[in-house]
Amino acid sequence: MWRVLAWLLFLLKLMAFLALSLHAKISDWWHFATEFPVGCAHPPLPGNHSGIKVLVLGLAKTGTRTICHALNELGVRAYHSEEMQKDDELASRLMEKIGRCRMEAIALDGLETLFDPLAKANPDAKVIMMNWRTFRQWRNSLDTFVHKLTVMVYHNIITGSSLGLLPWLALLQPLDRLSGGHVEHLLRSGGPPITEVGGPMVWLYHQSMNHRRQYECWTPPSTSIAPQTEEEYQDFYGKAKKYFSKEQIFDWDPRKNTLEELCNFLGIDPCIKKGKVPKAINTWIFERDFPIAANAVIVLRLFLHWVNWKLFDALLSLPFWFYRAWRERPKVD
């Protein structure tokens, strides 16, 4: 009987510990102590310009990360929704934010509602249209992908919650400065995009902000759209023709088109890459692209869970310790 009660008490403590850890992570208890300098260091571009040369018009599961990875390989600084924090004035301040980071290309995957302001402000941009799948093919791929994405998100939040219960990430800035300031330089210069860079420090930083600068863009009010019908699907891609000429649009098909064709469209000469564009992964990116750094961070996160649990358990035991000490105090006759 007592053993059963002891196990029940342990399970209750464990559930309380996990709930508290998740709440701390999602609510950002220690954001004031863990934030790096906000924003890129470059001065804003004149007028309402952003400096965007390429817009990748594509929904999730049309190859947006693949084409962005290829653009970065060709020397075009391309962003795939990284670091795009949602706020009430995002649309009005979008050009300034993009210009300060000197983004040259941006994929609309996850930011589909921002196509109109981007197109209006960048009439000379070139558009890579990712409309190579039928609506039904795209929908089936998306439905399969959502399950994988859900597992990844919960894994990142649960394991990464060890970084939020106590202000462990407050140590990241001084450690980064001691090791050369790589993360701070990356953020202030605006590139390369964080998912194109390896290293435990970068991955730790990503874990400190991914839930509010990536995941929150998928929740209402969202900057993303998910067409439910063939008509909605085609209407999304039809927007490009309202703003750009036929010569500015490249209907990209990863099954047929090559890097040489991409270079020719963008005017990149010489073309430093050849052949078909290698398919880029879009789940478990760090774990698969930078396995050594990712595994080191996973070990650290699990270790911090153990440390947090020991401190949590000790804190809960304090009242019993004081009560026992009071009961066992020497009695005065």
PDB file of all heavy atoms in Angstrom, residues 6 20 30 42 56 70 74 76-78 111 116 126 128 132 138 151 204 209 250 256 263-264 288 295 314:
ATOM      1  N   ALA A   6       3.654   5.818  -2.700  1.00  0.00           N
ATOM      2  CA  ALA A   6       4.927   6.454  -3.032  1.00  0.00           C
ATOM      3  C   ALA A   6       5.062   6.652  -4.540  1.00  0.00           C
ATOM      4  O   ALA A   6       5.527   7.709  -5.011  1.00  0.00           O
ATOM      5  CB  ALA A   6       6.086   5.617  -2.494  1.00  0.00           C
ATOM      6  N   LEU A  20       5.334  22.466 -15.285  1.00  0.00           N
ATOM      7  CA  LEU A  20       6.011  23.726 -14.942  1.00  0.00           C
ATOM      8  C   LEU A  20       7.098  24.052 -15.959  1.00  0.00           C
ATOM      9  O   LEU A  20       7.246  25.214 -16.378  1.00  0.00           O
ATOM     10  CB  LEU A  20       6.606  23.612 -13.541  1.00  0.00           C
ATOM     11  CG  LEU A  20       7.073  24.916 -12.883  1.00  0.00           C
ATOM     12  CD1 LEU A  20       5.899  25.857 -12.653  1.00  0.00           C
ATOM     13  CD2 LEU A  20       7.775  24.605 -11.551  1.00  0.00           C
ATOM     14  N   TRP A  30      12.216  33.786 -18.602  1.00  0.00           N
ATOM     15  CA  TRP A  30      13.513  34.453 -18.450  1.00  0.00           C
ATOM     16  C   TRP A  30      13.947  35.180 -19.719  1.00  0.00           C
ATOM     17  O   TRP A  30      15.139  35.414 -19.916  1.00  0.00           O
ATOM     18  CB  TRP A  30      14.576  33.414 -18.073  1.00  0.00           C
ATOM     19  CG  TRP A  30      14.199  32.571 -16.904  1.00  0.00           C
ATOM     20  CD1 TRP A  30      13.775  31.276 -16.929  1.00  0.00           C
ATOM     21  CD2 TRP A  30      14.179  32.969 -15.529  1.00  0.00           C
ATOM     22  NE1 TRP A  30      13.496  30.836 -15.659  1.00  0.00           N
ATOM     23  CE2 TRP A  30      13.744  31.856 -14.771  1.00  0.00           C
ATOM     24  CE3 TRP A  30      14.499  34.145 -14.857  1.00  0.00           C
ATOM     25  CZ2 TRP A  30      13.610  31.889 -13.385  1.00  0.00           C
ATOM     26  CZ3 TRP A  30      14.370  34.186 -13.470  1.00  0.00           C
ATOM     27  CH2 TRP A  30      13.937  33.079 -12.759  1.00  0.00           C
ATOM     28  N   HIS A  42      22.593  46.553 -39.817  1.00  0.00           N
ATOM     29  CA  HIS A  42      22.695  47.362 -41.020  1.00  0.00           C
ATOM     30  C   HIS A  42      21.701  48.527 -40.972  1.00  0.00           C
ATOM     31  O   HIS A  42      20.591  48.386 -40.449  1.00  0.00           O
ATOM     32  CB  HIS A  42      22.395  46.516 -42.255  1.00  0.00           C
ATOM     33  CG  HIS A  42      23.333  45.366 -42.435  1.00  0.00           C
ATOM     34  ND1 HIS A  42      24.647  45.520 -42.817  1.00  0.00           N
ATOM     35  CD2 HIS A  42      23.152  44.030 -42.274  1.00  0.00           C
ATOM     36  CE1 HIS A  42      25.231  44.338 -42.892  1.00  0.00           C
ATOM     37  NE2 HIS A  42      24.342  43.411 -42.571  1.00  0.00           N
ATOM     38  N   VAL A  56      10.320  33.697 -53.498  1.00  0.00           N
ATOM     39  CA  VAL A  56       9.986  32.302 -53.757  1.00  0.00           C
ATOM     40  C   VAL A  56       8.517  32.111 -53.409  1.00  0.00           C
ATOM     41  O   VAL A  56       8.146  32.087 -52.234  1.00  0.00           O
ATOM     42  CB  VAL A  56      10.873  31.345 -52.929  1.00  0.00           C
ATOM     43  CG1 VAL A  56      10.484  29.892 -53.205  1.00  0.00           C
ATOM     44  CG2 VAL A  56      12.346  31.589 -53.235  1.00  0.00           C
ATOM     45  N   ALA A  70      19.536  26.112 -52.211  1.00  0.00           N
ATOM     46  CA  ALA A  70      20.270  26.268 -53.466  1.00  0.00           C
ATOM     47  C   ALA A  70      20.690  27.724 -53.677  1.00  0.00           C
ATOM     48  O   ALA A  70      21.815  28.003 -54.115  1.00  0.00           O
ATOM     49  CB  ALA A  70      19.411  25.783 -54.635  1.00  0.00           C
ATOM     50  N   LEU A  74      24.434  29.432 -54.077  1.00  0.00           N
ATOM     51  CA  LEU A  74      24.827  30.263 -55.224  1.00  0.00           C
ATOM     52  C   LEU A  74      25.249  31.671 -54.814  1.00  0.00           C
ATOM     53  O   LEU A  74      25.596  32.485 -55.661  1.00  0.00           O
ATOM     54  CB  LEU A  74      23.672  30.348 -56.223  1.00  0.00           C
ATOM     55  CG  LEU A  74      23.294  29.041 -56.929  1.00  0.00           C
ATOM     56  CD1 LEU A  74      22.029  29.228 -57.745  1.00  0.00           C
ATOM     57  CD2 LEU A  74      24.441  28.529 -57.800  1.00  0.00           C
ATOM     58  N   VAL A  76      23.271  33.843 -52.947  1.00  0.00           N
ATOM     59  CA  VAL A  76      22.125  34.729 -52.724  1.00  0.00           C
ATOM     60  C   VAL A  76      21.590  34.459 -51.322  1.00  0.00           C
ATOM     61  O   VAL A  76      21.176  33.338 -51.019  1.00  0.00           O
ATOM     62  CB  VAL A  76      21.010  34.483 -53.768  1.00  0.00           C
ATOM     63  CG1 VAL A  76      19.822  35.416 -53.509  1.00  0.00           C
ATOM     64  CG2 VAL A  76      21.552  34.681 -55.171  1.00  0.00           C
ATOM     65  N   ARG A  77      21.596  35.453 -50.461  1.00  0.00           N
ATOM     66  CA  ARG A  77      21.166  35.257 -49.074  1.00  0.00           C
ATOM     67  C   ARG A  77      19.656  35.070 -49.022  1.00  0.00           C
ATOM     68  O   ARG A  77      18.887  36.018 -49.129  1.00  0.00           O
ATOM     69  CB  ARG A  77      21.586  36.446 -48.206  1.00  0.00           C
ATOM     70  CG  ARG A  77      21.277  36.252 -46.735  1.00  0.00           C
ATOM     71  CD  ARG A  77      21.739  37.424 -45.899  1.00  0.00           C
ATOM     72  NE  ARG A  77      23.192  37.500 -45.827  1.00  0.00           N
ATOM     73  CZ  ARG A  77      23.854  38.404 -45.092  1.00  0.00           C
ATOM     74  NH1 ARG A  77      23.183  39.300 -44.408  1.00  0.00           N
ATOM     75  NH2 ARG A  77      25.169  38.408 -45.067  1.00  0.00           N
ATOM     76  N   ALA A  78      19.242  33.818 -48.869  1.00  0.00           N
ATOM     77  CA  ALA A  78      17.822  33.465 -48.944  1.00  0.00           C
ATOM     78  C   ALA A  78      17.320  32.985 -47.590  1.00  0.00           C
ATOM     79  O   ALA A  78      17.948  32.135 -46.958  1.00  0.00           O
ATOM     80  CB  ALA A  78      17.604  32.384 -49.995  1.00  0.00           C
ATOM     81  N   LEU A 111       4.612  32.519 -44.686  1.00  0.00           N
ATOM     82  CA  LEU A 111       4.413  33.975 -44.694  1.00  0.00           C
ATOM     83  C   LEU A 111       3.565  34.384 -45.900  1.00  0.00           C
ATOM     84  O   LEU A 111       3.710  35.479 -46.436  1.00  0.00           O
ATOM     85  CB  LEU A 111       5.773  34.693 -44.762  1.00  0.00           C
ATOM     86  CG  LEU A 111       6.763  34.375 -43.649  1.00  0.00           C
ATOM     87  CD1 LEU A 111       8.131  34.949 -43.983  1.00  0.00           C
ATOM     88  CD2 LEU A 111       6.278  34.936 -42.318  1.00  0.00           C
ATOM     89  N   ASP A 116       1.598  40.257 -50.812  1.00  0.00           N
ATOM     90  CA  ASP A 116       1.164  41.524 -51.410  1.00  0.00           C
ATOM     91  C   ASP A 116       2.071  42.696 -51.041  1.00  0.00           C
ATOM     92  O   ASP A 116       2.535  43.416 -51.929  1.00  0.00           O
ATOM     93  CB  ASP A 116      -0.293  41.812 -51.049  1.00  0.00           C
ATOM     94  CG  ASP A 116      -1.244  40.852 -51.747  1.00  0.00           C
ATOM     95  OD1 ASP A 116      -1.306  40.872 -52.976  1.00  0.00           O
ATOM     96  OD2 ASP A 116      -1.897  40.054 -51.050  1.00  0.00           O
ATOM     97  N   LYS A 126      12.583  39.141 -58.943  1.00  0.00           N
ATOM     98  CA  LYS A 126      12.261  37.981 -59.759  1.00  0.00           C
ATOM     99  C   LYS A 126      11.543  36.967 -58.879  1.00  0.00           C
ATOM    100  O   LYS A 126      11.810  36.872 -57.680  1.00  0.00           O
ATOM    101  CB  LYS A 126      13.525  37.388 -60.367  1.00  0.00           C
ATOM    102  CG  LYS A 126      14.182  38.345 -61.362  1.00  0.00           C
ATOM    103  CD  LYS A 126      15.269  37.690 -62.174  1.00  0.00           C
ATOM    104  CE  LYS A 126      15.793  38.650 -63.240  1.00  0.00           C
ATOM    105  NZ  LYS A 126      16.812  38.015 -64.101  1.00  0.00           N
ATOM    106  N   ILE A 128      10.344  33.022 -58.232  1.00  0.00           N
ATOM    107  CA  ILE A 128      10.449  31.590 -58.499  1.00  0.00           C
ATOM    108  C   ILE A 128       9.139  30.959 -58.056  1.00  0.00           C
ATOM    109  O   ILE A 128       8.820  30.909 -56.869  1.00  0.00           O
ATOM    110  CB  ILE A 128      11.643  30.967 -57.754  1.00  0.00           C
ATOM    111  CG1 ILE A 128      12.947  31.641 -58.178  1.00  0.00           C
ATOM    112  CG2 ILE A 128      11.709  29.461 -58.022  1.00  0.00           C
ATOM    113  CD1 ILE A 128      14.169  31.163 -57.419  1.00  0.00           C
ATOM    114  N   TRP A 132       4.480  23.350 -59.225  1.00  0.00           N
ATOM    115  CA  TRP A 132       4.707  22.168 -60.055  1.00  0.00           C
ATOM    116  C   TRP A 132       3.854  20.969 -59.659  1.00  0.00           C
ATOM    117  O   TRP A 132       3.782  19.995 -60.403  1.00  0.00           O
ATOM    118  CB  TRP A 132       6.191  21.793 -59.990  1.00  0.00           C
ATOM    119  CG  TRP A 132       6.704  21.533 -58.602  1.00  0.00           C
ATOM    120  CD1 TRP A 132       7.056  22.469 -57.680  1.00  0.00           C
ATOM    121  CD2 TRP A 132       6.908  20.264 -57.985  1.00  0.00           C
ATOM    122  NE1 TRP A 132       7.475  21.876 -56.511  1.00  0.00           N
ATOM    123  CE2 TRP A 132       7.402  20.518 -56.678  1.00  0.00           C
ATOM    124  CE3 TRP A 132       6.738  18.949 -58.398  1.00  0.00           C
ATOM    125  CZ2 TRP A 132       7.714  19.492 -55.787  1.00  0.00           C
ATOM    126  CZ3 TRP A 132       7.055  17.923 -57.514  1.00  0.00           C
ATOM    127  CH2 TRP A 132       7.542  18.210 -56.231  1.00  0.00           C
ATOM    128  N   TRP A 138      -0.248  18.117 -53.816  1.00  0.00           N
ATOM    129  CA  TRP A 138       0.250  18.987 -52.750  1.00  0.00           C
ATOM    130  C   TRP A 138      -0.458  18.700 -51.432  1.00  0.00           C
ATOM    131  O   TRP A 138       0.184  18.604 -50.387  1.00  0.00           O
ATOM    132  CB  TRP A 138       0.034  20.457 -53.140  1.00  0.00           C
ATOM    133  CG  TRP A 138       0.274  21.381 -51.986  1.00  0.00           C
ATOM    134  CD1 TRP A 138       1.472  21.792 -51.491  1.00  0.00           C
ATOM    135  CD2 TRP A 138      -0.726  21.983 -51.159  1.00  0.00           C
ATOM    136  NE1 TRP A 138       1.299  22.614 -50.403  1.00  0.00           N
ATOM    137  CE2 TRP A 138      -0.044  22.754 -50.179  1.00  0.00           C
ATOM    138  CE3 TRP A 138      -2.121  21.958 -51.145  1.00  0.00           C
ATOM    139  CZ2 TRP A 138      -0.723  23.480 -49.204  1.00  0.00           C
ATOM    140  CZ3 TRP A 138      -2.796  22.692 -50.177  1.00  0.00           C
ATOM    141  CH2 TRP A 138      -2.095  23.430 -49.218  1.00  0.00           C
ATOM    142  N   VAL A 151       5.397  15.903 -34.552  1.00  0.00           N
ATOM    143  CA  VAL A 151       6.322  15.145 -33.694  1.00  0.00           C
ATOM    144  C   VAL A 151       7.576  15.963 -33.412  1.00  0.00           C
ATOM    145  O   VAL A 151       8.056  16.037 -32.274  1.00  0.00           O
ATOM    146  CB  VAL A 151       6.685  13.802 -34.355  1.00  0.00           C
ATOM    147  CG1 VAL A 151       7.782  13.085 -33.568  1.00  0.00           C
ATOM    148  CG2 VAL A 151       5.448  12.904 -34.453  1.00  0.00           C
ATOM    149  N   LEU A 204      21.634  26.097 -29.730  1.00  0.00           N
ATOM    150  CA  LEU A 204      21.099  26.495 -28.426  1.00  0.00           C
ATOM    151  C   LEU A 204      20.295  27.785 -28.551  1.00  0.00           C
ATOM    152  O   LEU A 204      19.219  27.930 -27.967  1.00  0.00           O
ATOM    153  CB  LEU A 204      22.233  26.684 -27.416  1.00  0.00           C
ATOM    154  CG  LEU A 204      22.729  25.438 -26.696  1.00  0.00           C
ATOM    155  CD1 LEU A 204      23.980  25.754 -25.892  1.00  0.00           C
ATOM    156  CD2 LEU A 204      21.651  24.862 -25.791  1.00  0.00           C
ATOM    157  N   MET A 209      14.403  30.424 -29.051  1.00  0.00           N
ATOM    158  CA  MET A 209      13.436  31.324 -29.686  1.00  0.00           C
ATOM    159  C   MET A 209      12.520  30.670 -30.715  1.00  0.00           C
ATOM    160  O   MET A 209      11.592  31.305 -31.201  1.00  0.00           O
ATOM    161  CB  MET A 209      14.168  32.495 -30.350  1.00  0.00           C
ATOM    162  CG  MET A 209      15.357  32.149 -31.241  1.00  0.00           C
ATOM    163  SD  MET A 209      15.077  31.139 -32.699  1.00  0.00           S
ATOM    164  CE  MET A 209      14.131  32.260 -33.705  1.00  0.00           C
ATOM    165  N   PHE A 250       9.742  32.539 -63.006  1.00  0.00           N
ATOM    166  CA  PHE A 250      10.304  31.238 -63.409  1.00  0.00           C
ATOM    167  C   PHE A 250       9.429  30.153 -62.776  1.00  0.00           C
ATOM    168  O   PHE A 250       9.404  29.994 -61.565  1.00  0.00           O
ATOM    169  CB  PHE A 250      11.737  31.130 -62.899  1.00  0.00           C
ATOM    170  CG  PHE A 250      12.496  29.914 -63.393  1.00  0.00           C
ATOM    171  CD1 PHE A 250      13.850  29.796 -63.135  1.00  0.00           C
ATOM    172  CD2 PHE A 250      11.872  28.891 -64.115  1.00  0.00           C
ATOM    173  CE1 PHE A 250      14.572  28.698 -63.578  1.00  0.00           C
ATOM    174  CE2 PHE A 250      12.583  27.787 -64.557  1.00  0.00           C
ATOM    175  CZ  PHE A 250      13.939  27.690 -64.297  1.00  0.00           C
ATOM    176  N   LYS A 256      12.735  18.737 -63.220  1.00  0.00           N
ATOM    177  CA  LYS A 256      13.280  18.991 -64.555  1.00  0.00           C
ATOM    178  C   LYS A 256      14.370  20.063 -64.552  1.00  0.00           C
ATOM    179  O   LYS A 256      15.389  19.912 -65.225  1.00  0.00           O
ATOM    180  CB  LYS A 256      12.165  19.424 -65.505  1.00  0.00           C
ATOM    181  CG  LYS A 256      11.029  18.415 -65.663  1.00  0.00           C
ATOM    182  CD  LYS A 256       9.929  18.990 -66.542  1.00  0.00           C
ATOM    183  CE  LYS A 256       8.751  18.022 -66.673  1.00  0.00           C
ATOM    184  NZ  LYS A 256       7.652  18.614 -67.468  1.00  0.00           N
ATOM    185  N   CYS A 263      20.674  29.873 -62.417  1.00  0.00           N
ATOM    186  CA  CYS A 263      21.691  30.924 -62.564  1.00  0.00           C
ATOM    187  C   CYS A 263      21.373  31.835 -63.738  1.00  0.00           C
ATOM    188  O   CYS A 263      21.502  33.064 -63.652  1.00  0.00           O
ATOM    189  CB  CYS A 263      23.071  30.290 -62.757  1.00  0.00           C
ATOM    190  SG  CYS A 263      23.799  29.570 -61.270  1.00  0.00           S
ATOM    191  N   ASN A 264      20.970  31.259 -64.842  1.00  0.00           N
ATOM    192  CA  ASN A 264      20.644  32.038 -66.033  1.00  0.00           C
ATOM    193  C   ASN A 264      19.476  32.984 -65.764  1.00  0.00           C
ATOM    194  O   ASN A 264      19.492  34.153 -66.185  1.00  0.00           O
ATOM    195  CB  ASN A 264      20.309  31.097 -67.187  1.00  0.00           C
ATOM    196  CG  ASN A 264      20.052  31.851 -68.483  1.00  0.00           C
ATOM    197  OD1 ASN A 264      20.896  32.581 -68.975  1.00  0.00           O
ATOM    198  ND2 ASN A 264      18.859  31.665 -69.042  1.00  0.00           N
ATOM    199  N   ARG A 288      19.912  16.432 -38.644  1.00  0.00           N
ATOM    200  CA  ARG A 288      20.367  15.701 -39.817  1.00  0.00           C
ATOM    201  C   ARG A 288      21.465  16.432 -40.584  1.00  0.00           C
ATOM    202  O   ARG A 288      22.351  15.808 -41.165  1.00  0.00           O
ATOM    203  CB  ARG A 288      19.170  15.422 -40.725  1.00  0.00           C
ATOM    204  CG  ARG A 288      18.177  14.460 -40.057  1.00  0.00           C
ATOM    205  CD  ARG A 288      16.775  14.569 -40.614  1.00  0.00           C
ATOM    206  NE  ARG A 288      16.628  13.948 -41.913  1.00  0.00           N
ATOM    207  CZ  ARG A 288      15.466  13.868 -42.558  1.00  0.00           C
ATOM    208  NH1 ARG A 288      14.377  14.372 -42.015  1.00  0.00           N
ATOM    209  NH2 ARG A 288      15.396  13.293 -43.738  1.00  0.00           N
ATOM    210  N   ASN A 295      23.443  16.549 -31.450  1.00  0.00           N
ATOM    211  CA  ASN A 295      23.500  15.530 -30.402  1.00  0.00           C
ATOM    212  C   ASN A 295      24.117  16.072 -29.120  1.00  0.00           C
ATOM    213  O   ASN A 295      23.701  15.705 -28.018  1.00  0.00           O
ATOM    214  CB  ASN A 295      24.290  14.311 -30.898  1.00  0.00           C
ATOM    215  CG  ASN A 295      23.503  13.481 -31.897  1.00  0.00           C
ATOM    216  OD1 ASN A 295      22.291  13.371 -31.797  1.00  0.00           O
ATOM    217  ND2 ASN A 295      24.180  12.902 -32.870  1.00  0.00           N
ATOM    218  N   ALA A 314      14.191  18.824  -4.428  1.00  0.00           N
ATOM    219  CA  ALA A 314      14.739  19.359  -3.178  1.00  0.00           C
ATOM    220  C   ALA A 314      13.852  20.478  -2.638  1.00  0.00           C
ATOM    221  O   ALA A 314      13.622  20.583  -1.424  1.00  0.00           O
ATOM    222  CB  ALA A 314      16.153  19.868  -3.401  1.00  0.00           C
TER     223      ALA A 314
END
